[in-house]
Amino acid sequence: MSKRYTITAALPYTNGPIHIGHLAGVYVPADIYARYLRLTGNDVAFICGSDEHGVPITIKAKKEGVSPQDIVDKYHKIIKSSFEEFGITFDNYSRTSAKIHHKTASEFFKTLYDKNEFVEEVSEQLYDAEANQFLADRFVTGTCPKCGNEEAYGDQCENCGTSLNATDLINPKSAITGNKPTLKETKHWFLPLNKHEDFLKEWILKGHKKDWKPNVYGQVKSWVDDGLRPRAVTRDLDWGIPVPVEGGEGKVLYVWFDAPIGYISATKEWAEREGKNWEDYWKNEDTTLVHFIGKDNIVFHCIIFPSMLKAEGSYILPENVPANEFLNLEGNKLSTSKNWAVWLPDYLEDFPNQQDVLRYALTANAPETKDNDFTWKDFQARNNNELVAIFGNFINRVVVLTNKYYDGVIPTSSEYSEIDEETLAAVKAYPAVIASSIERYRFREGSQELMNLARLGNKYLADEEPWKTIKTDEARTKTVMFVALQIASALAVLCEPFLPFTSTKLKSILCHSKLDEEPTWDNVPTKDILLPAEHTIKTGKPELLFSKIEDSEIQKQLDKLEANRKANEAANKTVEPQKDEITFDDFSKLDLRVGTILEAEKMPKTKKLLVLKVDTGIDTRTIVSGIAESFSPEEVIGKRVTVLVNLAPRALRGVESQGMILMTEDENGSLVFVNPSIEGVSNGLKIS
């Protein structure tokens, strides 16, 4: 019996494109789940949209000298297009700047306001006097009181995941001016989460102890056990949804309050377009609601949004919130600000028509229970060793042999052998196995079971060797090829949630559309024949499902990341501020000369010091220099150097140093000599 599902995927923030961390954490697993539910005959509303309010957008707009609307329009288009190209099958992808969302969010706030579900408080908020504005959370950075991260935001520490208030930060500073903010009184409305503690304990801590993921349950329990406090639902900003009650002038709905309501408004928009009743998907107890999010959104979807829905009174609550952990990239945390990421538009450009390779690699290595690491080498291995060598190899052999032996016409089988019966029985079992993994949100496990079905096909062909039996037993060969084609057809159906582009291509190769009834998910376990005898598959040059990815392509991606890393370091390299002003007379006291290092040796029992003999043109003198960790004695002999010769002598480890060698650092932080390299400049010449 079919069921009704509302599936939401976290609204991506429109201040930049989508990267692989977003895909692995939210959108690929959500799409696998939605596709599977549709394939099994369920009524699905798969909902998402752009999150277009909040401080980071106003910050980016100020930096680029454009309006916030310009920013969200630009990235909404990029994100929506990327999702479509990548095969994410949202039933509706909306945006929170839409009129229907403003209306829905305003009405939701007004309903809670009229029911006295908010607490109105005058509190002290951080204020930037120079910018003449209150600082919303993302306009404040400082040290996290939990983990000591010095770059925590005013709403959350991205290092440890702790949700914060801006006033919790140690040594806060304004992201606008860099100044230390002051405290100033302002009025806001708060959602009293403490009022909903008993409900949350009963609903989650008791009701979902066994069926929610441990990482989600554990974070919720920690929050509830720590005691919930009222949380502001409004902010002093001019970008967002105006607070729709008296006294709300100059204030907007806090983005975390309005964003999840975006699921509801996007459903309304879809239902109106499709002629459906949106309330069936949000207010009918027969509907299953599932939120797909990353772990940084657990508190919003498991505590705050359910408390909002409960306070409103007419909405269903999520059946599950299968949040994933974080995906790292080449051993380092993904960072949009540091450009340490693989952006989806870039991937689609660099690897055209290979969406399924990334979908598979991200699923097979998904951060379902702990943070995982994406590496380009693993991506290459998943493609070459699994998709190409296992899945693609099986299909290619089946298609090539069918065309070679039977001109693409599926042969009529004879009586099945025991191995045939066992193989077909195993094929029929796979839909339930894969379905169980998907329904328990174990998408990694499901992807590997799918690959096991392809392995079963390869093993069957290898054991039965139709390329040999074609010479000795034509009837047996026909049966083997008939069975192999049933496996190929099952793969075409069962791979769709994980590899949708591959599924389409494989169905085209097998000419599924020419059948009276195309195989469906439920046909695989129930029908004895998916591809009947005499059916003709595509003939001609075989179309490969996957192609090998070469080392050079991977190196290109690694080089791109390395270039990003260096560019980021250069952009963020701090230059020491200018020292106190000096007079010309002060400078003229410095006696800088050209010299040459004649001898060098390490000072015993030290790591940093070299003892140098330097020809200064005036004399040959000893200079002790702290460069031993950067240069060996052999490297510096013969070096032309700049020497401060009238520095007062100083004893270092019993050796009198009679000057200083001038050094600086390159862009990588390595020591380099400040030296006169032009020929004809002799030792002893003054530098002025």
Side-chain angles (χ1 to χ4, degrees), residues 203-204 208-214 216 302 318-321:
W203 173 55
I204 297 178
H208 288 293
K209 187 173 184 178
K210 294 181 179 179
D211 63 333
W212 280 24
K213 293 171 69 171
V216 178
C302 298
E319 182 66 26
N320 213 313
V321 186

Side-chain angles (χ1 to χ4, degrees), residues 337-384:
S337 61
K338 295 178 180 178
N339 201 17
W340 190 254
V342 178
W343 304 103
L344 186 51
D346 291 345
Y347 176 86
L348 292 169
E349 183 177 332
D350 292 346
F351 294 92
N353 302 315
Q354 295 187 76
Q355 295 96 322
D356 280 353
V357 181
L358 185 57
R359 286 180 68 113
Y360 180 75
L362 292 177
T363 303
N365 195 34
E368 291 179 348
T369 55
K370 62 180 179 63
D371 290 359
N372 266 7
D373 193 34
F374 176 91
T375 69
W376 280 110
K377 287 293 186 184
D378 179 72
F379 166 84
Q380 181 187 28
R382 294 284 184 188
N383 179 76
N384 294 355

Side-chain angles (χ1 to χ4, degrees), residues 216-250:
V216 178
Y217 183 87
Q219 193 177 131
V220 173
K221 188 175 187 305
S222 176
W223 262 76
V224 174
D225 288 349
D226 196 38
L228 299 176
R229 290 168 287 281
R231 193 171 178 93
V233 299
T234 58
R235 273 292 179 261
D236 292 292
L237 280 174
D238 57 4
W239 175 248
I241 299 173
V243 174
V245 296
E246 186 178 345
E249 298 79 13

